[in-house]
Amino acid sequence: MKILTVCGLGQGTSLILKMNVEQVLGEKGIQADVEHTDVSAASSMQADYIVTSNELAESLVGHSAKVFIVNNYFDMDEINQAIDENIVKD
């Protein structure tokens, strides 16, 4: 499974989100390749899931990956809930 964490520039916040997503997945025993990137690069990359903010999700409409929203990249409860709702049930 490949997951992209996406922010505007692909630097700081997407890296923080990547680390937090990896932590939650690890706690759930879910194996995944998680990569952080910017929104323009993400639009041409292959992935199963994309985790990003509400504002950036609009730029990824039509991507083959399932795009889901995490608005606070530091909120482990929000990340946990988003993964439960979007990955664990798939």
Side-chain angles (χ1 to χ4, degrees):
M1 168 186 345
K2 175 135 183 187
I3 301 171
L4 299 177
T5 58
V6 177
C7 69
L9 298 175
Q11 301 291 320
T13 52
S14 63
L15 178 59
I16 290 165
L17 181 58
K18 173 189 184 290
M19 293 185 302
N20 289 340
V21 165
E22 287 175 328
Q23 180 179 334
V24 170
L25 291 172
E27 291 168 0
K28 295 180 179 300
I30 299 171
Q31 294 283 330
D33 174 23
V34 185
E35 188 174 334
H36 68 99
T37 189
D38 65 276
V39 69
S40 61
S43 63
S44 62
M45 295 173 72
Q46 289 293 106
D48 298 301
Y49 300 96
I50 296 175
V51 186
T52 192
S53 67
N54 193 44
E55 298 82 26
L56 296 176
E58 297 171 9
S59 302
L60 296 164
V61 170
H63 196 286
S64 61
K66 180 173 184 178
V67 178
F68 63 93
I69 308 301
V70 171
N71 285 306
N72 183 342
Y73 293 2
F74 298 94
D75 185 341
M76 296 304 282
D77 290 333
E78 182 181 0
I79 294 167
N80 197 14
Q81 181 177 351
I83 288 171
D84 280 346
E85 292 173 358
N86 293 283
I87 295 177
V88 174
K89 291 181 180 177
D90 282 356

